[in-house]
Amino acid sequence: MFTGLRPYRICGGDTITNGYTYKKAGVDIDAGNRLVERIKPLAAATRRSGAAGDLGGFGGLFDPRAAGYDDPVLVAATDGVGTKLKLAIDADKHDTVGIDLVAMCANDLIVQGAEPLFFLDYFATGKLAEETAAAVIAGVAEGCREAGCALIGGETAEMPGMYADGDYDLAGFCVGAAERGSLIDGGTIAPDDIVLGLASSGVHSNGYSLVRKLVSDGGFRLDDPAPFDAGQPLGSALLTPTRLYIRSCLAAIRSGGVKGLAHITGGGILENLPRIFPGGVGVEIDCAAWPAPPVFRWLAGIGGIEPVEMARTFNCGIGMAVVVAPDEVERIETGLRADGETVYRIGRIVPGDGEVLLQGMDRAWAG
């Protein structure tokens, strides 16, 4: 994507008018160069302390010390957006999936106590459609601004024959940092600690193969009003981007008292919370402690999806879980709310062996 553009001249040789060219094979170098020029101001708008050098080199540069770190440990994450991209393509709405891409990576860094510093993206397609690609990368830049990280580079790959017409794929790579000794690994989580749940913005970026099948099998049109939100088309409602929890959770972490965080992605609460548990603990979750967002009630209803299947496929309204000691709950809860989060007390750590005990599940998520 951020190939350096330099003037060049070709000296000597005859002009070839009828021979094969890269463009005839399906790759338009000029279109790629035009896209680069459109992306440069988007990337520049994400610049932050530590970002070094201009776009156009072979690699992006970042100086952690210039970002304020004395002895940083780097933390890296990579992810994609999954088949939510297919929904974006079918709805011809491409300006939000870039936010999803950043969120899926940056949210995975914050749960370890790392501040996202810089981001790189990879956009692959069969034939480069400049307007579509520009909309996607604009979303990436918006996600980076929300996360406070710099978009320092990326790559666009035009690969005819690899993708069907109009299809594209996305991958993202985010690097963050924390001062040595300050990373969060859940090792101090103990019985009686409280689990706070931060509300999701919707389906986020998991479970879309099931979502798309329900939409298709149910005969729903993406341009019709959403059955669970008549104020917008179904496609737009289902494409609501993944919430970024960076600024609020980073503030909570730096205030002290956060024992563990879990990004609720594929596998839901059932599979993601145990990833941060030390030995000897489990958790009781009260599924009636937060209101089920309408989109999940709708999905469960049209698909006849059992509550346990909902719980292991979707976030069901909780995008991030925060584990804190009982005497820190009110302070951290207040801080998270002040930073714009909707917070629920959803559970309690108990003695166990990594079990997640869901209570009130049939009442909370059934369609």
Side-chain angles (χ1 to χ4, degrees), residues 106-182:
N107 284 342
D108 278 355
L109 296 184
I110 198 65
V111 299
Q112 296 180 82
E115 175 191 10
L117 298 179
F118 61 88
F119 192 88
L120 299 96
D121 70 285
Y122 175 80
F123 177 93
T125 186
K127 180 174 177 56
L128 183 61
E130 292 180 52
E131 293 301 323
T132 296
V136 171
I137 304 306
V140 173
E142 174 59 27
C144 286
R145 284 193 294 271
E146 289 185 33
C149 62
L151 178 59
I152 66 169
E155 176 68 17
T156 295
E158 192 173 17
M159 300 188 288
M162 283 290 291
Y163 297 90
D165 288 347
D167 281 356
Y168 59 85
D169 199 8
L170 280 175
F173 313 87
C174 196
V175 174
E179 292 290 0
R180 191 176 304 276
S182 68

Side-chain angles (χ1 to χ4, degrees), residues 258-275:
V258 173
K259 290 190 169 189
L261 301 97
H263 185 198
I264 309 303
T265 56
I269 288 177
L270 278 172
E271 295 187 9
N272 284 286
L273 258 177
R275 295 171 65 180

